[in-house]
Amino acid sequence: MYPVHESRDGVTAKRRARVSIRTKLMLVLLLSCAPMVGLVGWFGLATASNLLRNQAILAMSEHARFEARPLEEAIASGVADARYLSLVEDVQLLAVAAAGGRSVTELRLHVSESFLALAESAGLYSEIRLLDPDGRERASVEFGPQGARIVPEGELHRQVQAPLLPAVLRLPRGGVFVSPLHLARRDSERPTGDRAVIRFAAPVLRGGRVLGAVVLTADVTQRLPLGAYAGGSTFLVDPDGWYLHHTRAEIAWSGPQDRNTGHHLVRDFGSDAALILQPIGGVVRTQGSILATYPVSFGDVRAGQFVVLCVQASEAAILAPVTDYRRFFWVVLSVSFIAPLLAGVALGTFFLRPMRRLREGVRTIAEGDFDTTLAVNSADEFELLADDFNAMAQRLKAYRQEERLAVVGRMAATIIHDIKNPLAALTVMAQLVAKQELTTEQRADLAQRVKAQSERILSMLQEILDFSRSGRADITVCSHRLSELLADLATELDPRCAELGVTVDWAVAADCTVAADAQKLRRALGNIIINAAEATGEGGTVTVRSECDPQGVTIIIADSGPGIPEEIRDRIFEPFLTHGKEHGTGLGLAIAQAVIQAHGGRAQAANRAEGGAVFTVWLPNVDHYSDECPLDTGEHSRRD
C-alpha cells in the first residue's frame, strides 16, 4: 500500500494497493510450474515409495532365502547320502553277516573305508555309523580334532541308545529319517558342546528283512546364518517357538532339550509369534520391526518337521531408502517452489532496473527538472522507451520555456496595461502640482489622488508578489475555529463589499474546526468573496456557509450574479484571467487556488441552476500540527 499523497492539482488521493511486476512474475512462474511439479512429484513419491518399500522387503526376503540355502543343501545332501549308503551292496552284506554272527572284520574295514571316503568328500559329517536292529554299532567313522578315523572294532559300542532307531526301522526301502536340529550329544545324553547337528538315518534292507540302519551325523554349525541384516538379528526357531540358532549367543538354543535359556518366541513377539511360525514364509511387521521368515523343511511339514529362519531388522533401517527418497522429494519439491520465486526475483530485478530508472526520471520531471536524461542500454523495448522518454523531456523543456515566455508576456501586458493608466494620471497630477496657481484645497485633493493611484500600483505589485509566493512551502497549519476565522474576514470584507453595494450573508457552523494557515486562508477566501461581489454588482448578495464532517470542512461561497461565462468556466483559476473586468491583474482566484491546494484541499467553481456562481472549497482534517503556532492561543498546529 502507498501512503496518502497530494497530487499536483491539489486533489488528495490514495494510491491503490498494487502488485509489483516482480511479484507477478513470481506468481506466474510459481503457478505455472509448482502445481505440475507438485502433482507429478506427489504421484512419483507414492509410486517410488511403494516400489522402494517392496524392493527393500523383497531384498530382505531374498536375504532370508540366501541364509537358509546352506542348511537346505546340507539337509538335501544328508538325505541323499543316507539313502545311498543304505543301498550300497557292501553295507547290506555287512549287515547280513553281522546278523548271521559271521566274522566281518575285513568287510567292516571295507565299509568303514567307504564311509570315510564319503565323509571326506562331503565335508559335512562328523560321524557315520552302521547299527544293527538292536542298536549295536557294526561300523563307525568319526571326525575329531585330530582328523578322520575309522573306529576300531574294540571301541565300537556294544549297545547304542538311539531313540530314532525304532522310527527308522519302520521306514520302507529308500526312506530317510531326519532328526530336528539340535546341539551335538552322544546318543541320548545332554549336549556335549556348541556344535549344531542333524542326524540322517536310513534302514538297511535285503530280501525284505530289516538288517539295521545307516546313521549320518551332519555338523551344520558352519551352515547356519552368521551375520545380522541391517543391524538387526537372524535366528532359527523350531515349530514350538524355541530358539535354536541366534546371532545373540545368550538367546540361542533356548529349548529344554538344549541349553534351556528360557527365551521363547511368544515371550518376545506375543501374538505375532503365530504368524512367524507359519511354514509358508513371508513378511511380518511387529513391534517396530520387520521379519522376513523362510521355512526350512526336513520332512513332513504338517508333522512339524521344519524350522523357520527369521531375518529381523528395525523398520526404520529397512525402509531407510524410502525415508531418504521422501526427504529428497521434499527437497526437490521445495526447490520447485523456491526456484520460480528466485527466478521471479531475478527476472523482476532484471526488468525492473530500467523501469526504476524510468520511474525516477518521471518523478524528476514531475518536480520540474526537464534536464533529466535516462541512460538505458538494454537493447530492448526498455531502451526504446528510455529514448522516447528523453525526447519527451526535451519537448517538455521546450514547452515550459515557451510557456514561461508566454506567461511573462501576459504578465508584462497585464502590468503595462494596469499600471499605464495610474502612471498617466500621476504624470498629469505632477504637472498640475507644478503650477503655482493651485489653491490649498486643490493641492490637498491632488495629493489624495496621487496616494490612491500609488496604492493601486502597490496593490497590483503585491498581487503579483503573492502569486509568486503562493506555494505550499510557507504554509503553517494550525487548528482554528472556522467561525472565528470567518468573523475576522467579515470585519475586513464587509466595508469593501458595502462600497460595491453587495450584501454578504455569513451562515457559518459554530462548531466547525479547520486546520489552516489563518492569514493565507483568509487571503484566499477573501479573493473568492471579493471576486463574487465584483461579479454580482450593486444590489447583489453573496452567501458564505460551511459544513463539517470527519474528513474535513467544506466552505461554500455563492453569489446572485450572472454566473461564470461558459468560455472561461474551465479556466476560471488560471492566472491573468480578467474576463469582463476593467481593473486587476487576474491573479486573485489563481492565488486562492494555490493556497487551498497548499493546504491539501481543493477549490471548484460552477454555475447554480437558479442563477449565479458557486465556489466550493474543501479542506481536509489533519492529525499533526506545526510547533510554530502561538502557545497562548491554545491552538494545535503542524508544519505542512
Side-chain angles (χ1 to χ4, degrees), residues 112 127-129 137-142 149-151 156:
S112 298
E127 186 179 58
I128 302 177
R129 294 183 293 174
E137 288 182 330
R138 295 303 181 180
S140 179
V141 174
E142 293 181 347
R149 74 184 185 96
I150 298 175
V151 179
L156 294 176

Side-chain angles (χ1 to χ4, degrees), residues 20-21 53 56 66 102 170 226 261 280 291 375 378 470:
S20 66
I21 293 179
R53 183 184 296 106
F66 174 79
R102 296 191 301 271
R170 292 194 296 269
L226 300 177
T261 60
I280 57 175
L291 280 82
S378 58
S470 59

Side-chain angles (χ1 to χ4, degrees), residues 531 535-536 559 561-573 577-581 589 605-608 612-615:
N531 184 81
T536 300
D559 62 56
I564 304 172
E566 190 68 27
E567 62 270 19
I568 66 167
R569 182 186 303 171
D570 296 333
R571 300 184 296 114
I572 190 67
F573 292 106
L577 184 65
T578 59
H579 182 81
K581 296 175 62 175
L589 293 181
N607 287 326
R608 298 194 300 170
V614 58
F615 289 80

Side-chain angles (χ1 to χ4, degrees), residues 24-35 336 339-341 343-344 347:
K24 291 178 180 178
L25 287 173
M26 291 166 56
L27 290 175
V28 168
L29 292 174
L30 182 64
L31 294 177
S32 61
C33 299
S336 69
L341 298 180
L347 291 174

